[in-house]
């Protein structure tokens, strides 16, 4: 009997030790991060990087904030260090290419951007990369309202026209860009040009009728994201109307629309009328009770 008890106690001890070990192992497991690097250049000026970090939990990708990333140009070394960034609540972080890597930038017409994460208590080390070729985009608009975008790639030391690139020709708006006609994109020909006719004649502009045209390449595998803008007087002149002293929904209380005042006062009169009638009927009922 004593030997049986010893066996049972020993078995339970082993089970407890193994279960605690498994629990410790599970607690020590770290999540995996996905690091995506995007390249942007606007008006052919200083290039910009945007890094996006997410992780997969229960089959869904969730953005991860607070991740400290190191950015490099071509290789992980001191001379090619772009900078440190920390992702925001959307899992995004941005950085401009500094002048400190200008020498490395001039060595080639194609570069690879690296984003590295050293890991922490919650997530394992991760890295992402993106290779892009040097390119630029130009925009032109003629008097007959034809918009033309030209795409060039740096080959050796020469800007060479690029064929077969999809370009968006649009009008810059507050929420989202509006294409110049019904076509979503235009494809460059052998001269590197893509043209389209402006068909948004009734679109509002500023006080002078100016609107901003934009030509852009979006998420291209070779060139990343490129965009350029041009201002043209092709919109309707916007004339601001001051309604401060008129009865409008957004005016002060004493300038409220008449129909709103009518509705509000009608509701108040109706409610108080019902209450007064109820009180009056209560007095009548009380009086009738005394007469009986």
């Amino acid at each position: 009997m004593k030997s049986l008890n010893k066996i049972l106690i020993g078995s339970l001890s082993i089970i407890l030790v193994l279960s605690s070990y498994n629990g410790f192992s599970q607690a020590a497991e770290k999540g995996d991060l996905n690091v995506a690097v995007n390249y942007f250049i606007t008006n052919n000026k200083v290039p910009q990087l945007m890094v996006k970090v997410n992780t997969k939990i229960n089959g869904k990708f969730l953005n991860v904030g607070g991740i400290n990333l190191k950015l490099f140009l071509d290789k992980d070394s001191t001379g090619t260090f772009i900078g440190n960034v920390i992702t925001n609540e959307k899992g995004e972080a941005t950085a401009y290419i500094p002048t400190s890597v200008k020498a490395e930038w001039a060595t080639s017409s194609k570069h690879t951007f690296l984003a590295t994460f050293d890991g922490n208590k919650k997530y394992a080390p991760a890295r992402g990369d993106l290779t892009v070729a040097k390119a630029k985009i130009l925009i032109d608009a003629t008097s007959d309202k034809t918009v033309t975008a030209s795409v060039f790639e740096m080959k050796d030391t020469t800007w060479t026209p690029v064929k077969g690139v999809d370009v968006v020709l649009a009008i810059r708006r507050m929420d989202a860009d509006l294409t110049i006609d019904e076509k979503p994109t235009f494809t460059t020909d052998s001269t590197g040009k893509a043209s389209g006719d402006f068909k948004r004649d009734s679109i509002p502009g500023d006080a002078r009728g100016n609107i901003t045209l934009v030509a852009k390449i979006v998420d291209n595998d070779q060139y990343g994201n490129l965009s350029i803008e041009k201002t043209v007087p092709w919109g309707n002149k916007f004339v601001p109307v001051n309604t401060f002293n008129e009865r409008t929904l957004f005016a002060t209380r004493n300038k409220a629309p008449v129909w709103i005042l009518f509705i509000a006062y009608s509701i108040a009169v109706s409610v108080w009328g019902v209450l007064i009638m109820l009180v009056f009927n209560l007095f009548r009922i009380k009086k009738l009770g005394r007469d009986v």
Side-chain angles (χ1 to χ4, degrees):
M1 188 66 180
K2 290 183 179 179
S3 60
L4 181 60
N5 289 336
K6 290 181 179 179
I7 293 174
L8 290 175
I9 292 171
S11 300
L12 289 173
S13 301
I14 293 173
I15 292 172
L16 289 173
V17 170
L18 290 176
S19 62
S20 62
Y21 175 76
N22 289 335
F24 177 76
S25 298
Q26 291 177 0
E29 289 181 358
K30 295 183 178 182
D32 295 324
L33 293 178
N34 303 308
V35 181
V37 183
N38 295 283
Y39 173 82
F40 295 86
I41 184 168
T42 303
N43 294 325
N44 302 315
K45 294 183 180 179
V46 181
Q48 181 184 15
L49 297 180
M50 186 185 77
V51 186
K52 189 173 182 65
V53 179
N54 59 34
T55 186
K56 193 173 185 181
I57 299 177
N58 297 327
K60 296 182 179 180
F61 286 99
L62 301 178
N63 300 326
V64 183
I67 299 298
N68 194 332
L69 297 162
K70 297 177 182 178
L71 304 179
F72 297 91
L73 178 64
D74 292 329
K75 53 188 176 181
D76 185 348
S77 65
T78 304
T80 61
F81 180 65
I82 295 175
N84 282 311
V85 293
I86 299 177
T87 57
N88 57 20
E89 66 276 2
K90 295 181 180 179
E92 298 175 349
T94 58
Y96 287 98
I97 309 301
T99 56
S100 58
V101 296
K102 185 177 180 180
E104 179 70 21
W105 180 260
T107 58
S108 175
S109 59
K110 185 175 290 188
H111 291 282
T112 299
F113 298 99
L114 306 174
T116 63
F117 171 61
D118 294 334
N120 56 21
K121 294 180 180 179
K122 191 174 182 180
Y123 296 105
R127 64 181 291 156
D129 61 76
L130 174 70
T131 301
V132 295
K134 286 183 181 178
K136 69 177 181 179
I137 184 170
L138 305 177
I139 187 172
D140 187 32
T142 58
S143 57
D144 62 349
K145 294 188 176 181
T146 299
V147 184
T148 301
S150 303
V151 181
F152 299 90
E153 178 184 349
M154 176 65 76
K155 291 186 177 180
D156 296 328
T157 58
T158 305
W159 287 109
T160 305
V162 183
K163 180 182 178 181
V165 179
D166 291 333
V167 181
V168 178
L169 300 177
I171 309 155
R172 182 72 76 197
R173 308 310 289 170
M174 185 74 71
D175 295 329
D177 295 337
L178 178 67
T179 56
I180 62 172
D181 65 10
E182 300 303 323
K183 291 184 63 175
T185 60
F186 300 82
T187 304
T188 57
D189 57 18
S190 58
T191 63
K193 295 183 178 181
S195 299
D197 295 327
F198 181 85
K199 297 181 179 179
R200 306 287 185 179
D201 294 329
S202 59
I203 194 166
D206 60 13
R208 298 182 178 179
N210 291 328
I211 59 173
T212 301
L213 299 176
V214 57
K216 57 185 180 180
I217 300 171
V218 181
D219 291 336
N220 186 279
D221 293 336
Q222 293 182 330
Y223 311 117
N225 299 270
L226 286 73
S227 67
I228 191 168
E229 299 177 351
K230 183 180 181 65
T231 301
V232 294
W234 293 352
N236 291 336
K237 293 183 179 180
F238 173 73
V239 180
V241 178
N242 188 355
T243 59
F244 182 77
N245 291 321
E246 298 180 9
R247 292 189 178 276
T248 62
L249 287 174
F250 307 102
T252 56
R253 183 175 59 181
N254 62 332
K255 293 292 183 179
V258 175
W259 61 271
I260 288 184
L261 295 175
F262 176 78
I263 293 174
Y265 289 135
S266 297
I267 293 173
V269 170
S270 299
V271 172
W272 280 104
V274 171
L275 292 175
I276 292 171
M277 186 177 294
L278 289 173
V279 173
F280 179 73
N281 286 334
L282 287 174
F283 281 108
R284 288 185 61 188
I285 293 170
K286 185 176 181 181
K287 184 178 179 181
L288 290 174
R290 289 177 180 174
D291 293 340
V292 173

